[in-house]
Amino acid sequence: MSNHFYITTPIYYVNDKPHIGHAYTTLACDAYARFQRLDGQDVKFLTGTDEHGQKVEDAATKAGIAPQDFTDKVSQNFQDLAVSMNFSHDEFIRTTSERHKQTCQKLWQILQDKGHIYLGKYAGWYSVRDEAYYTETEIVDGKAPTGAPVEWVEEPSYFFDLSKWQDKLLAFYDENPDFVAPASRFNEIKSFVSGGLKDLSISRTSFKWGVPVPNDDAHVMYVWLDALTNYLTAAGWLDDEASYQALWPANIHMVGKDIVRFHAVYWPAFLMAADLPLPKRIYAHGWWTNEGQKISKSVGNVIDPLALIDEFGLDQTRYFLLREVPFGNDGDFARAAMIQRINSDLANDLGNLSNRVQSLIVKNLDGVHPALPDTLQEEDKALLDAADSLLERVRTNFANQQFHEALRQIWQVISHSNRYVDAMAPWALKKTDPPRMAEVLAVLMEVIRQCGILVQPVMPQSANALLDQLKIPADKRDFAAIGGARRDDLPVEIEKPQAVFPRFIEAEGE
Ligand code: ME8
């Protein structure tokens, strides 16, 4: 059985600067990709930018720059963000690349050869902001259901015979009950498809910024057909058979709830029509609001992820985004909640615990790490069992994309450790029972080691710093090293620890 794991983010439109929403989707994928790597999988993690279409062309015109120069510039912002957020993607794809354009044309050609594309005329509503077609019945007060402005479009267009795929899609959904998650989103998709599908316009003639339709220069491809194909491009479908065989179908396309329909209806229909395997899962996460308000440029409350990193720290931001909101739900960004998480979960619960334990070892045992007791007391066993069984629970949480729950499980064990340290009071044992003090500290060190390894996917830098303090060698930081299997990975000697998770102190006057 192959242990390849292919995970993708949406590719982001280069019409504007990246914001918190873009950072969020890729962060979730980054944590997932890192987790799978630590768990022994051969991961391909793909992200990138969606650079064609009317929206991007309009933005370039507005900026007074040629579209290619404009996309070069804005795409770079997304690549820089990925570095700032410490994303571990294996490839950053750009849809203006030659390889991608050829992949789109190959897919088009196959669909056409199989008789799924015909030339007609589109007359209807189009939203440039959503890059989506809307029917008359979907228009609310002259706007798209998303609230985006729409314009009337009438032009020659190629169509994909989407209407013929309704039954096959519904049958596929039935046979693959985990295809779309969360379940509520899957239900929306099923009822949308059950309501009947119209053939889809897949080319435009009123602008030029797109992949040319093979053998008809007057048309460029509809940006969504172009964009979705990126997943095949990066898999190597065009030119790298071995890679394609290893990677396709993708294990998961992570998307925001706004674009599930494109991924769970159009994309599977294109793939079925081309006789290609369908991705295994589409996960749609929710949307962030800012202090209760919808994030929008016109309101001026767009959250810049770089500003968050600057103020709160990288791993703190990563932790907050994945811990605060149940993955799949909408969530609110509140400053107070961020500070609370940093000071309580990170500085106190984990940071303080690890500092206290290491300091006691340095102070009372000359930094020499004590051995675990041969016979465990009941409390020792309860805590070690909780830590040893953590990976299995967390693995299930990750497999279900419940990242917040994985963190909650880890923090339960951290809280358990804090209760244990308070109850055992090793600082008092120093006087009354030094051998027992050493045992207690050894139990705690083992739990901290395992938790340090487990938080790596979410907080790679801080976890590294913590594991460095514990003197865990680099090759003993994967998941094969936890679950109680490798207790002897514990260090011989440690030094006085530095705080890995500093408290956040609000600046004067705020
Ligand atoms: O839709 N909260 O690109 P896009 C959470 N190019 N996530 C958010 C968000 C918010 N407030 N705002 C945006 C496109 N997102 C297409 C995708 S894929 C083949 C083509 C995230 O730049 C969310 O994941 O509009 C959403 O799906 C994505 O950004 C849309 O980015």
Side-chain angles (χ1 to χ4, degrees):
M1 220 185 73
S2 117
N3 67 346
H4 290 281
F5 188 83
Y6 182 26
I7 177 169
T8 70
T9 75
I11 47 171
Y12 304 105
Y13 287 128
V14 289
N15 61 314
D16 208 350
K17 282 200 316 200
H19 63 65
I20 188 78
H22 307 123
Y24 182 56
T25 316
T26 314
L27 169 63
C29 292
D30 183 61
Y32 199 5
R34 287 175 184 274
F35 187 93
Q36 296 297 89
R37 287 187 200 113
L38 288 165
D39 212 13
Q41 302 275 310
D42 189 356
V43 172
K44 170 146 179 134
F45 167 22
L46 173 71
T47 188
T49 41
D50 187 355
E51 308 192 358
H52 289 127
Q54 203 173 347
K55 172 149 102 168
V56 173
E57 191 183 80
D58 288 355
T61 308
K62 207 170 144 212
I65 313 178
Q68 188 62 59
D69 295 338
F70 180 76
T71 55
D72 286 349
K73 200 172 124 201
V74 184
S75 174
Q76 190 58 49
N77 293 339
F78 281 87
Q79 294 174 57
D80 292 347
L81 173 75
V83 173
S84 303
M85 293 285 303
N86 196 10
F87 292 150
S88 62
H89 52 284
D90 301 288
E91 180 174 344
F92 190 101
I93 190 169
R94 299 186 55 190
T95 55
T96 46
S97 66
E98 207 41 52
R99 186 188 195 204
H100 176 68
K101 288 191 251 182
Q102 283 177 27
T103 307
C104 292
Q105 288 173 334
K106 174 177 168 183
L107 181 61
W108 181 287
Q109 200 62 61
I110 291 177
L111 293 174
Q112 195 162 39
D113 291 348
K114 289 180 182 283
H116 299 301
I117 292 180
Y118 63 91
L119 185 59
K121 186 175 164 204
Y122 180 75
W125 296 104
Y126 191 78
S127 160
V128 176
R129 192 166 96 191
D130 298 345
E131 293 284 19
Y133 301 93
Y134 291 108
T135 60
E136 193 65 51
T137 51
E138 285 176 298
I139 302 297
V140 194
D141 297 333
K143 293 201 159 148
T146 56
V150 289
E151 60 191 44
W152 186 259
V153 170
E154 267 190 55
E155 59 185 1
S157 174
Y158 285 96
F159 285 84
F160 169 72
D161 62 0
L162 184 64
S163 59
K164 295 205 185 112
W165 296 94
Q166 178 182 8
D167 292 344
K168 290 207 176 66
L169 283 169
L170 290 172
F172 178 82
Y173 299 153
D174 259 0
E175 285 155 23
N176 296 276
D178 297 324
F179 181 55
V180 180
S184 56
R185 299 277 165 227
F186 205 2
N187 290 334
E188 285 167 21
I189 289 298
K190 287 177 195 162
S191 73
F192 172 73
V193 175
S194 304
L197 296 172
K198 290 173 62 169
D199 287 353
L200 183 69
S201 163
I202 51 165
S203 76
R204 304 284 315 268
T205 51
S206 45
F207 65 92
K208 284 270 156 246
W209 187 238
V211 180
V213 163
N215 309 316
D216 192 344
D217 281 351
H219 294 252
V220 292
M221 288 183 203
Y222 173 39
V223 66
W224 269 101
L225 173 56
D226 160 353
L228 289 161
T229 305
N230 92 87
Y231 305 130
L232 281 176
T233 307
W237 180 57
L238 177 74
D239 49 16
D240 189 341
E241 184 61 19
S243 155
Y244 173 70
Q245 288 304 333
L247 295 176
W248 199 259
N251 295 75
I252 183 162
H253 295 319
M254 186 72 79
V255 297
K257 65 178 183 179
D258 51 323
I259 55 172
V260 199
R261 187 184 293 185
F262 299 94
H263 284 83
V265 182
Y266 303 163
W267 182 227
F270 297 151
L271 290 169
M272 279 178 176
D275 262 330
L276 295 170
L278 271 50
K280 293 188 185 139
R281 187 164 166 95
I282 317 287
Y283 194 95
H285 67 68
W287 268 41
W288 283 91
T289 50
N290 187 357
E291 308 282 349
Q293 267 201 314
K294 188 169 182 222
I295 295 178
S296 106
K297 257 209 318 204
S298 49
V299 179
N301 64 348
V302 176
I303 302 174
D304 175 0
L306 297 177
L308 291 185
I309 298 173
D310 256 7
E311 181 169 18
F312 298 106
L314 171 59
D315 281 347
Q316 284 76 359
T317 302
R318 289 175 57 113
Y319 174 79
F320 173 79
L321 291 174
L322 291 180
R323 173 65 184 89
E324 183 66 8
V325 176
F327 200 71
N329 294 6
D330 288 337
D332 186 44
F333 180 88
R335 214 185 140 75
M338 169 76 114
I339 296 171
Q340 169 74 17
R341 289 276 174 210
I342 293 175
N343 287 344
S344 158
D345 298 11
L346 298 181
N348 266 353
D349 294 352
L350 176 56
N352 231 356
L353 171 74
S354 128
N355 255 33
R356 256 161 118 189
V357 170
Q358 291 186 74
S359 299
L360 284 167
I361 293 176
V362 170
K363 214 167 113 199
N364 300 328
L365 299 169
D366 292 329
V368 178
H369 180 258
L372 277 168
D374 290 335
T375 335
L376 296 170
Q377 299 209 357
E378 206 177 299
E379 294 89 339
D380 309 341
K381 193 170 157 9
L383 179 56
L384 285 173
D385 283 351
D388 291 348
S389 61
L390 196 48
L391 174 61
E392 209 176 296
R393 294 197 296 284
V394 167
R395 192 184 269 141
T396 306
N397 298 144
F398 267 83
N400 295 319
Q401 296 81 46
Q402 297 298 284
F403 310 119
H404 63 288
E405 181 57 23
L407 289 170
R408 202 182 66 81
Q409 294 281 344
I410 298 170
W411 256 260
Q412 260 185 3
V413 172
I414 293 171
S415 300
H416 189 160
S417 310
N418 276 306
R419 288 195 304 277
Y420 172 90
V421 78
D422 287 342
M424 297 296 131
W427 45 88
L429 289 171
K430 155 116 171 87
K431 291 176 205 112
T432 55
D433 188 351
R436 179 60 189 151
M437 175 200 69
E439 289 179 4
V440 165
L441 293 175
V443 169
L444 285 160
M445 280 290 275
E446 167 61 2
V447 178
I448 295 167
R449 178 184 75 90
Q450 294 207 36
C451 290
I453 290 176
L454 276 171
V455 298
Q456 289 177 102
V458 175
M459 299 187 285
Q461 282 180 356
S462 312
N464 254 337
L466 178 63
L467 295 168
D468 284 349
Q469 285 183 353
L470 300 189
K471 300 268 194 297
I472 307 295
D475 62 348
K476 291 185 171 174
R477 295 182 181 188
D478 62 15
F479 294 163
I482 51 181
R486 297 243 294 265
R487 303 248 194 256
D488 55 349
D489 285 355
L490 277 167
V492 179
E493 220 175 309
I494 55 170
E495 289 144 34
K496 194 171 176 323
Q498 300 289 318
V500 172
F501 297 104
R503 283 188 78 74
F504 180 84
I505 298 161
E506 192 79 81
E508 290 281 331
E510 287 205 31

